[in-house]
Amino acid sequence: MRSNKILLLLAAVLILSTSLKAQESVAKSPEFLKYENSKWVDSVMAKLSPDERIAQLFMIPAFSNKGPDHKKEILKHIKEYKIGGLIFMQGDPKTQLELMNDYQQAAEVPLIGAIDAEWGLGMRLDNTISFPYQMALGAIQGEELIYDMGVEIARQLQRTGLHINFGPVVDVNNNSLNPVINYRSFGEDKLNVTKKGIAYMQGMQSQSLLATAKHFPGHGDTDTDSHYALPQINHPFERLDDLEMYPFKELINAGIGGVMVAHLDIPALDSTGAPSTLSKPIISGILKERLGFKGLIVTDAMNMKGVAEGNEPGEVDKKAILAGNDLLEFSEDIPKAIAEIRNAINEGLITQAEIDSRCRKILAVKQWVGLDNYEPIPVKNVVKDVNNPEAIWLNRKLAEASLTLLKNDNSILPLQKLDTLKIASVSIGASKPTKFQKTLKLYADVHNFQLGRGAKASYITDLKKKLEEYNLVIIGMHDFSIRPRNEIKLSKEIENFISEYAQKNNTVISLFKNPYVINKLQDIEKSDALVVAYQDSEITQELSAQLIFGGIGASGKLPVSVGEKFKAGDGLDLKTNLRFKYTVPEDAGMDSKKLGTAIDSLMHQAIEAKATPGGVVLVARDQKVVFYKAYGLHKYSDTIAVEKTDLYDLASVSKISTALPALMKLYDKGNFDLEAGIDDYLPYFRNSNKADVPFRQILAHQARFKPWIPYWKTTLRNNGSYKWNTFKKDSSARYPVKVSDELWLHRNYKDKIYKAIKKSPLEEEAKYKYSGLLFYLLPGIVERITGEDFVEYINENFYDKLGSTTVTYNPSEKFDLDRIVPTESDFNFRHEVIHGNVHDEGAIMMGGVSANAGLFANANDLAKLMQMYLNMGEYGGVRYIDDSTLKEFTKTQFPENDNHRGLAFDKPYLEYKGEDSNTAKNASADSFGHTGFTGTMVWMDPQEDLLYVFLSNRVQPTRENTRLYKLNTRTQIQQALYDAIQ
């Protein structure tokens, strides 16, 4: 029986050996090998003593956050022993590069520089980019982005003086309890791991940066961390060959330059119990001979307990060299290691020729990466260079592509019918509003709550009572460590809270944690929607919120199985472009440097010139918000900084934001006729000089109407005091209209405004002349047509559905004053700083509700309405206005009369007039928008799918401040948008 087993084993080994030899024949040699016998390598070898050639096989750790003593120690190893290279650890890119330049200057043979940058420089260095962890990358469909990441990581490493990345990790993580690989692996599917690993490797090596596949022969199926002990993997040879070693074989065949060997005890490969790092059967027998790998073999850190336990420094290094390794990292005693290896040569355990061969291999790598022509790398702008816009955009693309939608019952995502939803969000593990919650609020009026890990039962009970008021709850589960480990540190009460709400209707959960924790949370899989973001970062939080509201879609697939709840490969595709995507300019074909620099400069210029105390600029292209920034203060005398969420008085931008969308909607239904006159909807005007004047002419400002009427002046006596029958200091049934806290207008004064408009004379000639008179009447016209209250009508039909929760009249009734930017110090009429009420005197005398002025909003909520216009009537999956109607209203109506206007919308002048023009030079003839007296501007250009919102309070301290006009700030910024289009 025993002899039969031996025969079977020998047969299996013979079959495997034959298979592996076949693989060896297709293995692609690493590119650097062509330099093994180059003139440069020969010249360096001639200068090195036998011991110095040994020293080239060592790489020691270098830190850029340690002091001069550490630097002296490194320099000693470089000068005295001529070590081969350095592996950089913690620090920052600028200091690291300065040190590397110094170290290279001290070295007779250029040093190879390496780093563990599995997810980029951010794995080790401050002020650098961290790309998603490999588990998140494993969720991405396709490999193009992974290749691009490899290219970018190579550029960043080279910019900081480095030549080798100890990555990618190609361990197949098929053990959810793995404490050391886990989220660092592409997942449990060997084919997915292989494809992603090859793409990552090819991206790096296309830039002549050496990639290193790790941790051979496969560290995925263990629950022991080799940093602290020696893991044992007890699988038969066939299983190891078919699964654990599969990615390594394929990467070798694809031409990877380096392989890192793990510290593992694998009896099926080496029955002696020796760590794989010290195993000649594994390294020389399998990796070199059977797999045919000719590239650089690197040890995992030689100070890790998995290899160091029971082995003395120097002695362990000798064993690693005898096993077949080329390059040893983290050796703890270089002189002793050199001595031990010299003794091994003397004892005949290894030859000097073998050492020389490995030394040549390392020198060949140095030549391949360009060290044969080494020059110091400039330090200036290194931090800026490694945080370049393309890398920032790539990072967002990777995170976005990884998002995985595991549940979406009844297609609850993306959220629709916002006007029917009362939404609460709960960030678990947070003590203050998270980026996730702040991004949710960009889309709708989401009420935010936080549930910290230490929350008491009474707090949870109180929170549950508050949540009863909402018909949709969004839960964000945040991580509690920098890296997404497979652990839960929540109280039982919080776990019960998650379980309870996961089973309720209309619950959406976004998991910013390791997906393995799903198996540790009861009932989480029962939520209506479950989004997995893999890790907790500002980018994943931001993008998850955008996914929930349809700013982006989802295509990720789970790279690992989660118990019986979800299997690897699970994930729903969600294609959507419903609402704004908040992103970077490059995502919309714009140059972020040009855009940001120009806008910042022009806004700072305006603030320094006191053209406005502050402002907000929002830019969107292709329905992607690519710039959204606040500047300055509320008032010159304030210390209150402008926030992006602050509300501004829109002034005449109200003209296209209030009654106009209502008129267009009514036009669609046939309830409003552009050829009708005011008298057709307001009989009061039948016997006036304005009867029968078509709305088309009025809206195009070609109806001979007077520009404006100073209604407020009729309320004053000659001495400047108020007429007794017009205002009172206190409100009453007869004086209900609030103009200020101590100024209440008579209820019938609105009729006087109508009368003044009715009796106002007409201009002599029917040509373009801007007039706001009609817009005082439009709310009444809308009410007569619809039979509904004007404000309720536009709220219900537009703002509520759009999620434009700050677009409002009389904002002080809804918002705190510190969120509302003040306008003018009024010394003529109200004798106070106008704050929380409309600046326009006529509008305030209409109770703050007018289509001429009166509307307030923040830039983001106003932009939703404008994007709907730019989309020709559609936004968020809702059709508000027919596209033919938008095209009619936004086209130039009477160009033959030298009138550039649309219907209420402003248009570019028929001929560009330089600085006197109302738009940027590059604004197309199809573009449209409006400006406002308080210093506002919105503009849309269908040719470039470009949206521009500019909010300011230039009427500070008074309306006499016209510097914003003189500087031409608004149109100069608008031109900067076109200049930034690539």
Side-chain angles (χ1 to χ4, degrees), residues 30 83 177 188 224 235 240 251 255 290 309 316 325 347 420 422 454 460 531 563 675 730 760 809 837 880 920-921:
I83 56 170
L177 300 178
E188 70 180 47
T224 301
H235 289 305
L240 295 168
L251 264 76
R290 290 182 172 175
E309 193 75 37
V316 71
N325 292 286
E347 293 170 7
T420 69
K422 190 171 183 184
I460 297 174
V531 179
E675 308 311 324
D730 296 310
S760 64
Y809 287 109
N837 297 309
Y880 293 86
K921 181 179 180 179

Side-chain angles (χ1 to χ4, degrees), residues 219-289:
H219 205 318
D221 194 5
T222 174
D223 58 6
T224 301
D225 187 342
S226 55
H227 289 86
Y228 307 107
L230 181 63
Q232 188 176 76
I233 296 180
N234 285 299
H235 289 305
F237 199 97
E238 293 79 5
R239 147 68 189 256
L240 295 168
D241 175 58
D242 180 63
L243 184 59
E244 273 76 11
M245 287 193 285
Y246 179 85
F248 293 95
K249 291 186 288 186
E250 293 301 314
L251 264 76
I252 289 169
N253 292 341
I256 193 162
V259 170
M260 178 182 286
V261 182
H263 308 312
L264 300 169
D265 175 11
I266 311 175
L269 302 184
D270 187 340
S271 60
T272 67
S276 46
T277 336
L278 310 182
S279 169
K280 191 167 186 177
I282 291 175
I283 297 173
S284 295
I286 296 176
L287 182 56
K288 286 185 176 181
E289 295 174 14

Side-chain angles (χ1 to χ4, degrees), residues 667-885:
Y667 179 84
D668 284 345
K669 294 181 176 181
N671 295 329
F672 174 70
D673 186 357
L674 283 170
E675 308 311 324
I678 297 174
D679 54 312
D680 290 311
Y681 300 106
L682 292 178
Y684 175 74
F685 280 83
R686 279 180 185 163
N687 296 319
S688 73
N689 58 4
K690 297 168 185 64
D692 300 325
V693 179
F695 269 100
R696 186 181 296 277
Q697 291 191 14
I698 304 172
L699 289 170
H701 299 279
Q702 191 173 287
R704 299 167 59 202
F705 286 9
K706 291 291 182 184
W708 69 297
I709 298 173
Y711 311 102
W712 62 275
K713 290 185 178 181
T714 65
T715 68
L716 302 177
R717 297 188 179 96
N718 290 334
N719 63 4
S721 62
Y722 301 112
K723 294 178 180 178
W724 71 272
N725 62 341
T726 304
F727 286 110
K728 296 296 181 187
K729 286 190 174 182
D730 296 310
S731 64
S732 66
R734 293 185 67 194
Y735 293 88
V737 181
K738 183 180 180 181
V739 174
S740 70
D741 288 338
E742 296 186 353
L743 210 59
W744 295 81
L745 183 66
H746 194 281
R747 63 190 177 191
N748 295 332
Y749 196 83
K750 186 176 182 179
D751 296 334
K752 292 187 177 183
I753 292 177
Y754 273 44
K755 184 177 181 180
I757 294 172
K758 179 180 179 181
K759 290 191 171 185
S760 64
L762 297 176
E763 299 286 342
E764 292 184 3
E765 189 178 353
K767 63 179 183 180
Y768 168 64
K769 192 154 194 173
Y770 183 81
S771 172
L773 299 190
L774 169 71
F775 295 90
Y776 289 98
L777 308 176
L778 286 180
I781 290 174
V782 171
E783 289 181 345
R784 283 185 65 88
I785 296 173
T786 64
E788 298 181 41
D789 176 79
F790 173 68
V791 174
E792 290 181 3
Y793 182 83
I794 56 176
N795 281 337
E796 291 173 2
N797 285 280
F798 297 99
Y799 309 149
D800 292 348
K801 290 181 178 180
L802 287 165
S804 294
T805 56
T806 66
V807 179
T808 185
Y809 287 109
N810 297 313
S812 59
E813 297 175 3
K814 303 176 184 178
F815 298 95
D816 293 336
L817 283 179
D818 61 4
R819 285 197 61 191
I820 306 169
V821 180
T823 51
E824 183 177 18
S825 297
D826 183 358
F827 299 112
N828 297 316
F829 178 39
R830 282 170 273 187
H831 302 286
E832 65 177 12
V833 174
I834 310 304
H835 191 187
N837 297 309
V838 60
H839 172 269
D840 181 80
E841 296 90 350
I844 194 64
M845 295 172 77
M846 299 282 286
V849 178
S850 164
N852 185 62
L855 203 64
F856 285 71
N858 69 31
N860 181 67
D861 283 346
L862 178 61
K864 296 171 189 175
L865 179 64
M866 298 301 124
Q867 186 67 46
M868 182 268 284
Y869 290 159
L870 187 55
N871 294 347
M872 292 294 114
E874 188 275 334
Y875 183 79
V878 177
R879 170 62 64 181
Y880 293 86
I881 301 166
D882 191 78
D883 61 346
S884 63
T885 299

Side-chain angles (χ1 to χ4, degrees), residues 92-106:
D92 68 273
K94 182 176 181 291
T95 308
Q96 173 183 290
L97 183 52
E98 290 172 339
L99 288 171
M100 190 57 166
N101 283 341
D102 290 346
Y103 295 147
Q104 293 285 25
Q105 187 176 7

